């Protein structure tokens, strides 16, 4: 699949600019096995890069302007590197403008370039196409102009670019897009950025994403509202337990003991966060021990928390997970990503994938009148130069 994407992207570049690209970059989307909405709450997450990517083709153009073409949108724009970079009404361009601005603001010097890109990451499904776009652009500019930027700094610059666009995201998406390794998940400490790899051997089970075709947008107010609610809850916890520096230091028992001091909605949010941090630790142990059924059970528990306590689910996602719970060939399922639509991630017994897809597709269409899409994913390498 990616071979065809690379061929089409490089051919488009040659047709557009009359010469072959100097650099070709693949930047992947990501899944998160478990640890949802805790990357910005100083928790541990368990993401991995996947074999769905954005392909970029780059070349220097020996000017002070950069021209970027989004093949899939049939749109392009030009950035004058001598002028102040500002936000545009054309939303997709802001991620790239943000990358250019962050590089310039951090003292990196580069000239104009031409770039085209195309993607097979489904947009709006929670696979972090925006992080892949940011990190792929930074990586490509780094390679093109021989800039000295470490992997972790690519991640941080990408995160800052997204903040500049207006989405107060955590570091997980960018970090996993850059640091991914084939057949490995990353246990990432979102506080210190320490990380370790764990083998991602799912044994007799396949990873399949069910795309609800309900498209969420993190430009809604809900994402930032959750962050504010968690900050409020953590402040109250610290008032009562001064030794607690972050949610990872807080036990469920401590939290329950001060439940009456916390707004009920805020309590639900932070209760989910504390439990989810513990589930990530259990998930790593399950993978290390080859206990994939336990991993699946943890996925179900996470979905219940996301739906009932963090309240970022929706009827479509809840229906998919409830149906999965009742299916003997599925050992784990949960919504993945920001919520309010997007995908569920599912562990399905091998050789049963097609019958599961057929069953769910028909039931989903009958219930909601919406076509369900499926993505078989494999855990792959992070942003790389071809």
């Amino acid at each position: 699949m990616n071979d065809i994407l690379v061929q089409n992207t490089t051919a488009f570049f040659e047709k557009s600019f009359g010469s072959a690209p100097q650099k070709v970059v693949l930047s992947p989307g990501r899944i998160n096995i478990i640890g949802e909405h805790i990357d910005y709450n100083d928790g541990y997450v368990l993401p991995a890069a996947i074999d769905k990517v954005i392909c970029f083709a780059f070349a220097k153009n020996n000017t002070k302007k950069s021209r970027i073409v989004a093949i899939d949108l049939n749109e392009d724009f030009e950035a004058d590197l001598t002028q102040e970079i500002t936000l545009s009404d054309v939303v997709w361009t802001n991620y790239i403008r943000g990358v250019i601005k962050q590089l310039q603001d951090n003292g990196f010097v580069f000239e104009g370039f031409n770039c085209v890109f195309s993607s097979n990451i489904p947009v709006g499904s929670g696979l972090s196409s925006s992080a892949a776009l940011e990190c792929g652009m930074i990586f490509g500019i780094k390679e093109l102009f021989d800039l000295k930027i470490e992997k972790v700094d690519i991640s941080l610059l990408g995160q800052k670019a997204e903040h500049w666009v207006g989405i107060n995201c955590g570091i997980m998406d960018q970090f996993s897009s850059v640091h991914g390794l084939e057949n490995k998940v990353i246990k990432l400490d979102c506080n210190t950025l320490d990380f370790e790899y764990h083998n991602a051997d799912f044994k007799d089970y396949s990873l399949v994403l069910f795309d609800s075709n309900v498209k969420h947008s993190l430009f809604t107010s809900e994402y930032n509202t959750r962050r504010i609610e968690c900050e409020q809850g953590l402040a109250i916890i610290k008032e009562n337990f001064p030794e607690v520096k972050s949610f990872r230091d807080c036990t469920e028992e401590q939290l329950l003991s001060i439940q009456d001091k916390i707004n009920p909605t805020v309590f639900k949010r932070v209760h989910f966060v504390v439990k989810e941090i513990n589930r990530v630790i259990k998930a790593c142990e399950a993978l290390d021990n080859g206990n994939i059924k336990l991993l699946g059970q943890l996925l179900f528990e996470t979905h219940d928390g996301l739906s009932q306590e963090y309240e970022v689910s929706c009827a479509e996602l809840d229906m998919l997970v409830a149906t999965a719970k009742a299916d003997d060939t599925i050992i784990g399922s949960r919504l993945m990503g920001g919520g309010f639509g997007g995908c569920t991630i599912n562990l399905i017994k091998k050789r049963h994938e097609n019958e599961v897809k057929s069953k769910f597709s028909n039931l989903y269409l009958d219930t909601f009148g919406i076509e369900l899409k499926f993505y078989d994913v494999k855990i792959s390498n992070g942003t790389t130069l071809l």
Side-chain angles (χ1 to χ4, degrees), residues 180-365:
L181 281 182
E182 187 174 4
N183 298 323
K184 300 283 186 180
V185 296
I186 308 165
K187 183 192 175 190
L188 172 63
D189 180 331
C190 293
N191 188 18
T192 64
L193 299 189
D194 292 335
F195 67 100
E196 60 191 31
Y197 293 105
H198 291 261
N199 288 327
D201 181 2
F202 299 108
K203 298 185 179 294
D204 297 327
Y205 300 91
S206 298
L207 277 177
V208 183
L209 309 182
F210 296 178
D211 187 347
S212 67
N213 255 332
V214 179
K215 300 304 181 187
H216 67 81
S217 169
L218 293 184
F219 281 101
T220 65
S221 63
E222 294 299 328
Y223 182 93
N224 288 334
T225 299
R226 294 298 181 282
R227 293 199 65 149
I228 292 168
E229 289 166 341
C230 289
E231 289 165 4
Q232 292 172 344
L234 182 59
I236 297 170
I237 294 167
K238 288 179 175 179
E239 287 174 7
N240 288 272
F241 300 99
E243 69 274 17
V244 171
K245 305 302 181 187
S246 71
F247 281 115
R248 73 179 60 185
D249 305 321
C250 181
T251 66
E252 187 177 5
E253 290 72 24
Q254 286 175 317
L255 186 58
L256 290 171
S257 72
I258 58 170
Q259 182 174 357
D260 60 342
K261 300 179 181 179
I262 305 175
N263 171 282
T265 298
V266 171
F267 175 82
K268 287 194 296 184
R269 307 295 188 248
V270 296
H271 192 221
F272 165 78
V273 169
V274 169
K275 289 192 295 182
E276 185 72 352
I277 289 172
N278 288 326
R279 279 190 286 264
V280 174
I281 297 168
K282 291 178 182 177
C284 290
E285 294 171 354
L287 281 169
D288 291 341
N289 296 325
N291 191 346
I292 308 306
K293 288 189 175 180
L294 173 57
L295 177 66
Q297 182 57 44
L298 292 168
L299 297 188
F300 282 133
E301 290 177 12
T302 289
H303 183 82
D304 289 344
L306 287 167
S307 177
Q308 296 164 23
E309 292 194 311
Y310 220 67
E311 296 184 284
V312 293
S313 188
C314 58
E316 294 88 351
L317 295 173
D318 286 344
M319 175 267 191
L320 290 173
V321 174
T323 306
K325 276 185 180 178
D327 191 311
D328 291 339
T329 64
I330 304 177
I331 61 165
S333 178
R334 69 172 187 85
L335 78 83
M336 190 189 71
F340 306 107
C343 290
T344 61
I345 181 171
N346 303 271
L347 282 166
I348 303 176
K349 194 165 183 62
K350 289 180 178 175
R351 294 177 294 279
H352 292 272
E353 297 94 338
N354 287 338
E355 66 185 69
V356 166
K357 290 175 184 177
S358 178
K359 168 188 168 181
F360 274 72
S361 182
N362 292 331
L363 186 59
Y364 193 73
L365 186 63

Side-chain angles (χ1 to χ4, degrees), residues 76-88:
D76 65 276
F77 80 102
E78 188 173 81
D80 187 336
L81 303 183
T82 67
Q83 302 295 314
E84 182 183 357
I85 302 296
T86 57
L87 288 167
S88 166

Side-chain angles (χ1 to χ4, degrees), residues 43-95:
Y44 305 102
V45 289
L46 202 62
I50 58 172
D51 57 346
K52 303 283 189 288
V53 301
I54 302 177
C55 178
F56 300 81
F58 290 89
K60 298 178 183 178
N61 63 20
N62 301 313
T63 75
K64 298 292 186 182
K65 296 181 179 180
S66 293
R67 186 175 170 216
I68 297 100
V69 183
I71 299 174
D72 306 329
L73 298 175
N74 194 28
E75 294 181 11
D76 65 276
F77 80 102
E78 188 173 81
D80 187 336
L81 303 183
T82 67
Q83 302 295 314
E84 182 183 357
I85 302 296
T86 57
L87 288 167
S88 166
D89 292 335
V90 184
V91 173
W92 71 267
T93 71
N94 288 331
Y95 295 95

